Amino acid sequence: MDHAVTAAQFSWNDARRWLDGLPGGAGLNIAYEAVDRHLLHGRGDKVAIRWIGKSGERQEFTYTDLAQATNQFANALHDLGVMPGERVFVLMGRLPELYVAVLGALKARCVVTPLFSAFGPEPIVTRAEMGDARVLVTTPELYQRKIRDVRERLPGLKHVIVVGAAPSDEPGVHPWGVLVSPASTRYTIGHTDPESMALLHFTSGTTGRPKGAVHVHEAVLAHVVTGRYALDLHDDDVFWCTADPGWVTGTSYGIIAPLVCGVTNVVVEAEFDPQTWYGVLERERITVWYTAPTAIRMMMKLGAEALQGVDLSALRFMASVGEPLNPEAVVWGLKAFGRPFHDNWWQTETGGIMVSNYAAMDIKPGSMGKPLPGITAAVVRRLADGHVEPIEAPDVDGELALKTPWPSMMRGYLHEDERYRKCFADGWYLTGDLAHRDADGYYWFVGRADDVIKSAGHLIGPFEVESALMEHPAVAEAGVIGIPDPMAGEVVKAFVALKPGFEAGETLRRELLGHARKRLGAAVAPKQIEFRDNLPKTRSGKIMRRLLKARELGLPEGDLSTLESDEKKGAP
Ligand code: ATP
Ligand code: MG
């Protein structure tokens, strides 16, 4: 609990005044701020969640509906004897019950851990064991396919709540329709210490074994501030966050921030498909849209023509997170949507957006923006004695660091104190990402410290090379790694996926090598280019450079629990 907010940080105290706190001074609870508080401010009849199912069916939940449904879920946990602090895991797609379960469990002061519904049994077991899962909320299909056979390996998992009405004769399996639906719609949230654990989030596993980041109820302060500043949320907004609730963006911004800000949160069950998405933007009159580079690159692949005739007149603000947003993607957004994508940067560990291109500032394509109010960032150099030193000069690469504390800062890596401690030095949280700051105070992402390439005395960030390749009309995606070289130490190798209509072959390879050399200079440009149908990605849409590298060098592939599209499958 080293990183509690101190009163000295006046901007966070401003944010405190935007929230209510539990009645009678009973603390601060994320779900209360997200749901019940709005009933006292005349917003009970406003639509909190508009759910759009896979086949286009719609359901709307007002803030009052959501307050009652989450009360029922909190009562159901109570009826099962589940205690505050115990862990409630959710494993399902974007169904309305997921939102009710997450917020209801927070009301009951349980700890919520979302899991990707696409996880197989092994990643589920590992996380459930590590996180000490007491309750699992899932669908009957997922239970059948992924949980039933591994349940005996999880003796701590006492209750499984399955969405649906059909009674079950399996011990500890409770149909929602039997347990939750009949529960009382009245519930009083118990005293919630702002420092008590609220969410346990596993990281994306891009660089290795996922870590369990611990977040507390006080994080809601950051959710409201970043919702307003970084995502520009105003009272009448209709907001859509495309992230899966199995990772942190899908909860911090797919559930909590929009509701805390009192807007209408649109939830789309369907997976990514440009045509469906454009239909949602138009029909639902989305005003603020939060998505990710991997989706933007797929839309680019399809071309701006697909947007012709789509009415985007309601759309005001578009933001992106999760990976570096190539400058080409910002430029394309402007052309295709008539508005730019606003890049922002954060991590599972930071609990909320830390650096962003907010509405009021000019965007520099390729920059992730500036630190948000209440956040102090720096580019630091690690010294040999374990200390760090901020680099004052502009345009010098170093590690991106954030001054502790802030409300949504992780309070630990579960069961990994040493790994947690190593993230801090001299009052700074060290992010593991490399960046530089320009003379105007904008931050520029260089690469993950693990991915940076050292070639003939140069430090090369993969992002710069990938962005240069993306400027070529044939390139849909690029992933860049360093491979050992007897002369240079390492040389740059690029894996490239092409847009439809382009032929992989020697001519194009030469053309791309030439293009990169012209753009980047011979020292930084790739020496080798290999064409792939797809690049390996995490389920949160990040290119797994470590896997490209492991496969290239014939090294062990490491933890692949979060791997989504396996390039081997797509390769010819
Ligand atoms: P793991 O920590 O398990 O390796 P991960 O770091 O990918 O996985 P997340 O917390 O989901 O897990 O992702 C945070 C990371 O994503 C950041 O540290 C950064 O490397 C990258 N990232 C997120 N947003 C941006 C952005 N706007 N620009 C550049 N990189 C970004
Ligand atoms: Mg990380």
Side-chain angles (χ1 to χ4, degrees):
M1 305 294 155
D2 310 335
H3 300 290
V5 168
T6 64
Q9 284 177 305
F10 93 100
S11 59
W12 293 116
N13 282 333
D14 287 346
R16 255 172 241 281
R17 286 192 284 276
W18 297 351
L19 301 176
D20 284 357
L22 285 168
L28 188 68
N29 183 289
I30 293 175
Y32 181 79
E33 301 302 330
V35 186
D36 299 62
R37 178 172 69 95
H38 297 298
L39 276 51
L40 304 176
H41 294 275
R43 291 189 286 270
D45 292 337
K46 181 170 179 176
V47 175
I49 293 182
R50 185 189 298 159
W51 179 79
I52 297 154
K54 274 192 183 130
S55 34
E57 67 273 36
R58 298 156 64 96
Q59 278 181 40
E60 292 196 331
F61 301 83
T62 63
Y63 278 96
T64 300
D65 296 336
L66 198 55
Q68 293 181 347
T70 51
N71 283 349
Q72 288 181 311
F73 193 83
N75 279 318
L77 290 177
H78 184 262
D79 293 345
L80 292 176
V82 180
M83 300 300 288
E86 293 194 317
R87 314 277 157 77
V88 176
F89 279 50
V90 286
L91 173 83
M92 65 174 112
R94 279 166 265 214
L95 296 175
E97 286 82 355
L98 180 142
Y99 299 80
V100 171
V102 167
L103 294 161
L106 290 171
K107 283 187 170 180
R109 295 171 292 156
C110 291
V111 176
V112 173
T113 302
L115 295 176
F116 283 106
S117 53
F119 275 157
E122 282 313 316
I124 294 171
V125 169
T126 316
R127 287 163 180 76
E129 267 178 344
M130 186 174 160
D132 201 9
R134 183 75 67 237
V135 180
L136 174 75
V137 191
T138 188
T139 65
E141 300 74 39
L142 290 171
Y143 177 73
Q144 198 84 1
R145 285 212 329 264
K146 305 185 178 184
I147 308 297
R148 179 177 277 149
D149 292 348
V150 295
R151 246 191 104 182
E152 60 192 25
R153 291 166 58 194
L154 295 168
L157 181 64
K158 297 286 184 239
H159 305 285
V160 179
I161 302 175
V162 287
V163 172
S168 161
D169 50 16
E170 278 188 65
V173 175
H174 314 277
W176 185 287
V178 176
L179 176 77
V180 185
S181 308
S184 165
T185 55
R186 300 175 67 85
Y187 183 81
T188 305
I189 301 174
H191 186 282
T192 312
D193 183 335
E195 279 302 310
S196 63
M197 187 167 164
L199 292 146
L200 171 68
H201 264 300
F202 290 96
T203 60
S204 287
T206 315
T207 54
R209 188 167 46 85
K211 298 148 270 191
V214 172
H215 290 288
V216 299
H217 279 274
E218 191 177 47
V220 69
L221 284 166
H223 297 137
V224 70
V225 169
T226 55
R228 288 193 186 185
Y229 286 128
L231 298 177
D232 197 38
L233 292 176
H234 289 68
D235 286 351
D236 293 332
D237 275 322
V238 179
F239 174 71
W240 178 29
C241 169
T242 62
D244 190 291
W247 74 297
V248 71
T249 305
T251 46
S252 288
Y253 297 97
I255 307 178
I256 301 167
L259 296 179
V260 173
C261 290
V263 308
T264 293
N265 189 29
V266 173
V267 173
V268 178
E269 190 190 9
E271 296 295 322
F272 178 80
D273 162 59
Q275 295 306 348
T276 312
W277 279 25
Y278 297 157
V280 170
L281 288 173
E282 177 175 82
R283 248 190 340 272
E284 307 308 329
R285 303 206 48 81
I286 303 293
T287 59
V288 179
W289 187 33
Y290 195 20
T291 187
T294 178
I296 298 169
R297 287 192 293 259
M298 278 158 87
M299 293 186 274
M300 289 169 76
K301 203 166 163 180
L302 193 71
E305 307 76 57
L307 270 156
Q308 258 163 29
V310 180
D311 176 5
L312 297 170
S313 56
L315 191 61
R316 187 184 76 246
F317 191 80
M318 311 195 295
S320 163
V321 72
E323 274 205 301
L325 184 65
N326 314 91
E328 194 58 23
V330 178
V331 173
W332 182 83
L334 204 51
K335 191 174 81 190
F337 288 89
R339 320 151 165 72
F341 286 101
H342 295 72
D343 188 19
N344 59 54
W345 176 97
W346 59 291
Q347 306 178 309
T348 309
E349 290 86 342
T350 70
I353 302 169
M354 297 282 110
V355 178
S356 98
N357 288 281
Y358 25 108
M361 66 195 249
D362 290 333
I363 292 177
K364 295 192 188 186
S367 162
M368 50 202 194
K370 295 184 180 182
L372 281 161
I375 300 300
T376 305
V379 174
V380 305
R381 185 182 291 126
R382 290 196 194 222
L383 306 175
D385 58 4
H387 289 287
V388 298
E389 176 182 80
I391 301 171
E392 300 302 338
D395 304 323
V396 179
D397 291 353
E399 186 164 356
L400 179 63
L402 303 163
K403 183 141 240 166
T404 59
W406 65 90
S408 63
M409 176 60 202
M410 68 163 165
R411 303 300 201 259
Y413 282 137
L414 195 71
H415 308 317
E416 296 191 277
D417 288 346
E418 186 55 25
R419 211 173 177 188
Y420 174 69
R421 258 195 304 278
K422 281 194 178 140
C423 299
F424 301 91
D426 299 331
W428 294 97
Y429 164 66
L430 304 167
T431 66
D433 284 347
L434 301 187
H436 58 257
R437 186 184 57 244
D438 70 16
D440 299 328
Y442 285 70
Y443 281 76
W444 299 78
F445 182 80
V446 173
R448 292 164 183 268
D450 293 358
D451 289 340
V452 164
I453 302 157
K454 297 178 192 75
S455 183
H458 294 274
L459 275 186
I460 301 172
F463 176 50
E464 186 185 8
V465 182
E466 290 161 10
S467 291
L469 288 166
M470 289 279 298
E471 286 169 14
H472 191 281
V475 177
E477 269 184 332
V480 161
I481 62 167
I483 53 170
D485 178 82
M487 296 296 290
E490 279 186 306
V491 292
V492 177
K493 171 158 187 175
F495 295 86
V496 166
L498 297 175
K499 287 188 187 152
F502 289 90
E503 193 71 32
E506 211 31 53
T507 320
L508 185 54
R509 189 198 319 277
R510 280 218 202 88
E511 191 179 315
L512 287 176
L513 287 169
H515 162 83
R517 213 169 296 132
K518 209 158 87 204
R519 280 285 289 104
L520 301 164
V524 177
K527 298 282 181 292
Q528 294 179 31
I529 289 181
E530 191 173 317
F531 294 110
R532 291 285 166 94
D533 284 356
N534 297 296
L535 300 180
K537 293 201 197 77
T538 65
R539 294 187 186 283
S540 49
K542 298 161 194 281
I543 297 172
M544 269 176 155
R545 295 175 190 80
R546 71 166 160 104
L547 184 57
L548 286 170
K549 187 156 178 168
R551 286 179 175 168
E552 179 70 22
L553 305 182
L555 299 171
E557 294 187 341
D559 185 307
L560 297 185
S561 60
T562 63
L563 178 68
E564 178 159 78
S565 53
D566 191 336
E567 30 130 34
K568 272 185 182 164
K569 282 186 221 148

